[in-house]
């Protein structure tokens, strides 16, 4: 286009001039034009709130004519009821106090009755002597922002609903677990003539099914069978073994209440059921107690399958283990041996069965310091001569003291012949 | 809780599994899962070296019995080496000291 040497210069000078003129025109025009059609609302009010000046943008938002507003309405007349209230209680007082206020969310009431959210900023213009002359207010369209906030609120409601649902699911699952857990243990023990019994069960974790079990039930007119044990492993699979174990032992005892026979039956059942890559077994003590009304004593015969030795607390203040060495885990081998032990409980004597949750409780920071057999026997000596309920109560307190040191479930079963004075009291 | 690491070596007597860390719930099943992949010939001895085992709970005991069952199914022997004192006490209580041959260390366990 530009072929001569001069033309570009002339042309360029002309462009410059045009641009300059446009810029000047823009500057000249800007104040009024910018005020009227700015992308925000402008408003000037007298100190009593009367609207003195308002721009076209705000009038368009309000769907109002200038004549109906200027000198006739106050700023608050443009606001919704909620907006008015907020203006009176917060906006105006703060503005008076600070001389300016910014970014306040208000709601305009439009001429057609509609509402429009805005963000308002105001500043007081002062006269030469510092006296307030008028209030200048800028209003920004907050409809997008309000929509965004509504979306945030909706998302939060959805998240809260999901959380509530998850909590409800969790509660239902815990109820189911609790019901299953209860099916693993008897609700209450039947009364045994001349013998007092007491039990305690402590699950290491409320949302984990326990692997410990106990039971006590009559096998014939004179004898009662009892057992207590611990299934190897944890979780639902272990609980399934616990259930199988409990009902197998009950059925076996009704068929043949001899302790070794009962454990042998359980051994066969578990070994056959869980042969293969996922072996499952338990340790258990199974016993028979036969109270003798004539002598006031009770004879106990028990067999152990790999279970920690029972403790006997005597009326004379001594206590000792009732060893059953060499007894084998139940269910691990097809031809397991079980060790037996016998004792006689005189009045004031108590037999205690427990699971290793008690003896393996941590008493220090690391796993090296466990409560242990020795400490348990010493504890038993301290409570020898006490009836089963008192012994279990004391052990429950001990478990409480372990706190976080209790890593495993713990089952406790005590049975004893009440001391003479207690029996007399019971008869009264 | 320390993680469980199991390394496999071959000795004159057969495979040696070195158990390092916690043989306990829920990781003890890693040993149970590993066992079927161990090549074990009749007459060999599967040695579980427990010198580096820090802790063994009832799940760990279950894994040891699974190892024994596997060895016996393959008509092989099974031995435990360097059983920590606490675990040895547990093994005695549950009668397992009668079914595993126990050795003070890996050398003794892998002696033909």
């Amino acid at each position: 286009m530009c072929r001569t040497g001069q033309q570009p210069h002339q042309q360029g000078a002309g462009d410059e001039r045009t641009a300059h003129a446009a810029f000047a025109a823009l500057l000249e025009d800007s104040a009024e034009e910018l005020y009227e059609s700015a992308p925000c609302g402008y408003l000037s009010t007298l100190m009593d709130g009367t609207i003195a000046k308002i721009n076209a943008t705000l009038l368009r938002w309000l769907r109002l004519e200038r004549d109906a507003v200027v000198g006739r309405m106050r700023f608050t007349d443009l606001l919704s009821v909620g907006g008015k209230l907020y203006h009176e209680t917060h906006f105006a007082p703060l503005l008076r106090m600070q001389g300016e206020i910014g970014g306040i969310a208000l709601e305009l009431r439009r001429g057609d009755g509609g509402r429009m959210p805005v963000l308002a900023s105001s500043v007081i213009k002062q006269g030469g002597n510092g006296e307030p002359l008028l209030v200048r207010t800028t209003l920004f369209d907050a409809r997008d922002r309000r929509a965004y906030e509504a979306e945030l609120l909706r998302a939060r409601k959805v998240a809260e609903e999901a959380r509530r649902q998850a909590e409800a699911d969790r509660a239902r699952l815990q109820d189911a677990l609790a019901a299953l857990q209860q099916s693993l243990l008897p609700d209450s023990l039947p009364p045994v003539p001349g013998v007092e019994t007491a039990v305690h069960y402590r699950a290491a974790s409320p949302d984990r099914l326990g692997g410990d079990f106990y039971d006590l039930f009559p096998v014939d007119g004179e004898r009662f069978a009892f057992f207590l044990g611990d299934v190897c492993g944890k979780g639902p699979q272990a609980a399934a073994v616990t259930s199988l174990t409990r009902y197998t032992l009950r059925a076996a005892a009704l068929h043949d209440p001899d302790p070794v026979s009962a454990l042998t039956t359980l051994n066969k059942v578990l070994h056959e059921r869980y042969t293969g890559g996922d072996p499952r077994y338990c340790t258990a003590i199974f016993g028979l107690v036969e109270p003798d009304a004539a002598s006031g004593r009770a004879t106990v015969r028990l067999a152990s399958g790999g279970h920690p030795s029972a403790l006997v607390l005597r009326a004379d203040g001594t206590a000792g283990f009732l060893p059953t060495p060499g007894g084998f885990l139940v269910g691990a081998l097809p031809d397991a041996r079980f060790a037996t032990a016998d004792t006689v409980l005189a009045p004031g004597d108590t037999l205690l069965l427990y699971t290793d949750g008690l003896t393996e409780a941590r008493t220090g920071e690391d796993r090296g310091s466990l409560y242990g057999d020795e400490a348990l026997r010493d504890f038993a000596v301290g409570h020898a001569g006490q009836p089963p309920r008192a012994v279990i109560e004391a052990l429950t307190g001990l478990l409480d003291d372990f706190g976080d040191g209790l890593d495993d479930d713990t089952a406790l079963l005590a049975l004893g012949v009440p001391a003479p004075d207690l029996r007399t009291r019971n008869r009264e | 809780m320390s993680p469980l690491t199991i390394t496999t070596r071959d000795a004159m007597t057969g495979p040696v599994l070195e158990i390092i860390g916690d043989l306990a719930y829920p990781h003890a099943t890693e040993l149970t899962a590993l066992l079927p992949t161990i090549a074990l010939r009749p007459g060999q001895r599967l040695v579980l070296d427990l010198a580096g085992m820090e802790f063994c709970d009832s799940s760990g005991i279950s894994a040891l019995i699974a190892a024994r069952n596997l060895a016996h199914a393959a008509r092989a022997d099974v031995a435990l080496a360097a059983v920590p004192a606490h675990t040895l006490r547990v093994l005695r209580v549950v009668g397992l000291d009668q079914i595993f041959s126990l050795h003070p260390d890996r050398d003794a366990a892998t002696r033909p």
Side-chain angles (χ1 to χ4, degrees):
Chain A
M1 293 286 274
C2 310
R3 294 189 181 177
T4 69
Q6 283 186 318
Q7 264 181 330
H9 176 73
Q10 285 172 343
Q11 183 74 36
D15 281 354
E16 237 167 66
R17 267 199 302 276
T18 313
H20 190 77
F23 190 63
L26 192 67
L27 277 178
E28 200 126 307
D29 184 44
S30 67
E32 195 59 26
E33 175 63 17
L34 184 63
Y35 179 82
E36 285 301 336
S37 38
C40 58
Y42 286 126
L43 188 70
S44 302
T45 53
L46 304 180
M47 291 316 293
D48 70 353
T50 307
I51 295 170
K53 205 174 177 201
I54 183 167
N55 77 342
T57 304
L58 184 51
L59 285 170
R60 183 161 51 79
W61 286 352
L62 288 166
R63 313 271 205 274
L64 289 174
E65 296 299 325
R66 193 178 301 272
D67 292 346
V69 177
V70 174
R72 291 171 181 272
M73 295 175 88
R74 291 162 189 250
F75 177 43
T76 49
D77 295 332
L78 307 180
L79 300 177
S80 67
V81 175
K84 271 195 185 79
L85 211 62
Y86 192 78
H87 183 272
E88 294 306 321
T89 55
H90 292 80
F91 195 94
L94 270 173
L95 178 60
R96 273 198 301 274
M97 202 162 67
Q98 300 171 170
E100 61 181 7
I101 188 167
I104 302 297
L106 291 173
E107 199 171 48
L108 295 181
R109 192 187 54 168
R110 298 198 307 215
D112 61 3
R115 300 273 189 276
M116 177 173 164
V118 291
L119 287 178
S121 297
S122 290
V123 58
I124 294 178
K125 177 184 163 62
Q126 290 168 332
N129 300 324
E131 78 279 13
L133 288 181
L134 52 88
V135 178
R136 286 169 172 162
T137 299
T138 314
L139 300 173
F140 284 96
D141 183 352
R143 282 174 294 195
D144 284 353
R145 185 188 152 121
R146 185 63 63 86
Y148 172 67
E149 284 169 353
E151 177 57 26
L152 274 184
L153 206 64
R154 195 193 62 77
R156 199 175 73 183
K157 274 186 184 143
V158 167
E160 271 173 5
E161 173 60 20
R163 193 175 56 103
R164 201 193 54 75
Q165 184 64 40
E167 275 172 5
D169 287 351
R170 186 178 159 79
R172 212 168 45 237
L173 201 61
Q174 280 201 341
D175 286 349
L177 283 175
L180 277 174
Q181 181 73 67
Q182 277 164 13
S183 81
L184 303 179
L185 299 170
D187 288 337
S188 62
L189 300 185
V192 182
V195 171
E196 184 191 312
T197 60
V199 288
H200 180 71
Y201 189 91
R202 178 78 54 103
S205 153
D207 57 357
R208 202 194 265 166
L209 285 166
D212 289 2
F213 57 88
Y214 62 79
D215 207 349
L216 184 147
F217 49 96
V219 291
D220 54 34
E222 286 91 42
R223 295 178 297 176
F224 285 75
F226 58 90
F227 57 79
L228 176 142
D230 181 1
V231 165
C232 294
K234 292 186 174 73
Q237 290 90 349
V241 183
T242 308
S243 180
L244 176 63
T245 297
R246 180 178 176 212
Y247 295 109
T248 300
L249 279 178
R250 278 193 84 120
L254 293 180
H255 180 66
D256 180 358
D258 173 67
V260 171
S261 298
L263 289 182
T264 303
T265 301
L266 177 63
N267 187 66
K268 271 188 194 140
V269 168
L270 287 184
H271 188 255
E272 276 168 21
R273 170 68 182 78
Y274 292 102
T275 305
D278 185 26
R280 298 273 169 187
Y281 7 78
C282 67
T283 69
I285 285 186
F286 184 101
L288 282 176
V289 58
E290 186 172 359
D292 179 26
S295 66
R297 293 162 175 256
T299 55
V300 171
R301 176 177 175 76
L302 48 82
S304 169
H307 197 81
S309 300
L311 262 169
V312 188
L313 291 67
R314 298 293 181 189
D316 64 4
T318 61
F321 289 105
L322 191 59
T324 39
F328 211 86
L329 273 179
V330 189
L333 287 184
D335 49 354
R337 289 190 305 109
F338 301 111
T340 61
D342 299 281
T343 192
V344 174
L345 298 178
D349 292 350
T350 292
L351 175 76
L352 172 70
L353 307 186
Y354 56 92
T355 56
D356 62 7
L358 173 60
T359 44
E360 309 257 306
R362 280 180 291 110
T363 52
E365 282 300 303
D366 61 343
R367 286 182 304 220
S369 45
L370 304 179
Y371 186 62
D373 298 340
E374 293 299 311
L376 177 60
R377 194 183 50 200
D378 293 346
F379 187 87
V381 169
H383 294 83
Q386 294 183 1
R389 261 192 286 275
V391 172
I392 294 295
E393 214 165 273
L395 286 167
T396 305
L398 181 64
L399 293 178
D400 290 339
D401 292 344
F402 288 143
D404 289 345
L406 212 56
D407 288 333
D408 207 353
D409 302 335
T410 305
L412 305 169
L413 167 65
L415 44 97
V417 177
D421 58 328
L422 285 172
R423 281 195 300 165
T424 315
R425 217 175 293 153
N426 282 348
R427 271 205 293 270
E428 279 166 3
Chain B
M1 182 174 264
S2 320
L4 174 65
T5 312
I6 305 171
T7 60
T8 313
R9 286 194 316 119
D10 273 313
M12 292 283 287
T13 46
V16 178
L17 301 187
E18 193 179 356
I19 314 286
I20 300 154
D22 289 357
L23 190 61
Y25 181 86
H27 301 293
T29 47
E30 289 170 27
L31 174 58
T32 324
L34 178 72
L35 288 170
T37 68
I38 306 288
L40 198 58
R41 289 193 303 279
Q44 279 192 323
R45 181 186 304 154
L46 172 64
V47 174
L48 301 176
D49 181 0
L50 308 183
M53 186 178 75
E54 290 169 28
F55 180 65
C56 179
D57 71 354
S58 62
S59 299
I61 299 282
S62 295
L64 294 182
I65 296 179
R68 177 194 176 272
N69 290 350
L70 181 97
H72 281 211
R75 282 178 289 137
D77 192 13
V78 65
L80 304 182
V83 183
H86 174 258
T87 304
L88 187 59
R89 198 184 63 78
V90 174
L91 290 183
R92 289 215 173 95
V93 169
V94 300
L96 288 185
D97 59 326
Q98 303 163 61
I99 61 158
F100 285 105
S101 46
L102 306 175
H103 300 274
D105 54 43
R106 183 164 67 195
D107 288 345
T110 54
R111 208 163 284 146

